[in-house]
Amino acid sequence: SKNLNFIISDSAIEDYYSDNIKDFVLGSELVRCLYAKIPIKAPEIVNFRKLIRQYPKSSINEIRSYCFKFAEKSFLDDSLWIDFDELIANTPFRKMKDNISLLTYNKYLENSDPSYYYFIKIIDYKLSGDISPLSFEYDIITAIILNKRKRDLLDKLQDSIYLKSIKQVDYEIY
């Protein structure tokens, strides 16, 4: 721990990403969005529908407040990329076969079942085969760089121990 630098600069992460861009091809669709699962009996659903549909022109604080009061489930951080398949896994949208068309031609999705309304306001998307955004890969790249540093340190320590033992003739060969 003493000999390992755990601080990884943003520029080191950006350099790794740039140097290895071909390794960051998406295997599934990603979205930045607002998502809410609201009970059918929730009040003022028409107003909420208008707010989420008009976002970012509407207030995120009003959307958050409504979701806090009434939503069964919500995701309201439009700066984070999430896997679209995971987002729609337990919604009526999962029955739609073509995610690419769904994302390409719609910025607002709404559906319902007997118990809930499902709202998705798409801010941005990346399709399968596109390059993954750096912000989505940030933690993975950080772990890769840290593991590389650990491996380099272990190699140096092994070399050091080996050279030291050769000089002191403090080893046996079996």
Side-chain angles (χ1 to χ4, degrees), residues 98-121:
D98 189 9
N99 286 352
I100 294 172
S101 293
L102 192 65
L103 291 171
T104 304
Y105 299 112
N106 299 288
K107 293 293 179 196
Y108 173 76
L109 303 168
E110 182 179 334
N111 209 327
S112 64
D113 61 23
S115 303
Y116 296 99
Y117 289 108
Y118 300 87
F119 301 94
I120 300 176
K121 173 64 178 185

Side-chain angles (χ1 to χ4, degrees), residues 93 167 174:
F93 298 113
K167 287 180 184 174
Y174 294 97

Side-chain angles (χ1 to χ4, degrees), residues 6-134:
F6 288 94
I7 299 169
I8 300 170
S9 69
D10 288 342
S11 62
I13 292 170
E14 289 168 7
D15 290 345
Y16 184 90
Y17 179 79
S18 297
D19 293 344
N20 298 283
I21 197 87
K22 67 185 179 317
D23 295 336
F24 299 107
V25 176
L26 291 171
S28 62
E29 292 78 25
L30 296 181
V31 292
R32 286 188 310 123
C33 67
L34 302 180
Y35 167 77
K37 178 182 176 182
I38 310 287
I40 291 286
K41 295 182 180 184
E44 301 178 26
I45 199 71
V46 173
N47 186 43
F48 178 75
R49 180 180 289 123
K50 181 180 173 187
L51 286 171
I52 198 165
R53 178 173 248 174
Q54 292 178 346
Y55 183 80
K57 292 179 182 174
S58 63
S59 169
I60 189 67
N61 290 331
E62 287 183 60
I63 294 169
R64 283 188 179 128
S65 175
Y66 187 89
C67 286
F68 182 73
K69 291 177 191 171
F70 303 109
E72 170 86 12
K73 193 180 220 184
S74 64
F75 178 81
L76 302 172
D77 190 346
D78 67 351
S79 64
L80 292 179
W81 291 95
I82 57 175
D83 187 287
F84 188 63
D85 287 330
E86 288 179 22
L87 178 71
I88 65 171
N90 296 312
T91 72
F93 298 113
R94 76 182 181 286
K95 295 175 186 172
M96 298 178 181
K97 301 290 182 203
D98 189 9
N99 286 352
I100 294 172
S101 293
L102 192 65
L103 291 171
T104 304
Y105 299 112
N106 299 288
K107 293 293 179 196
Y108 173 76
L109 303 168
E110 182 179 334
N111 209 327
S112 64
D113 61 23
S115 303
Y116 296 99
Y117 289 108
Y118 300 87
F119 301 94
I120 300 176
K121 173 64 178 185
I122 298 169
I123 308 304
D124 197 3
Y125 64 91
K126 297 281 185 183
L127 301 176
S128 179
D130 289 348
I131 300 298
S132 181
L134 174 60

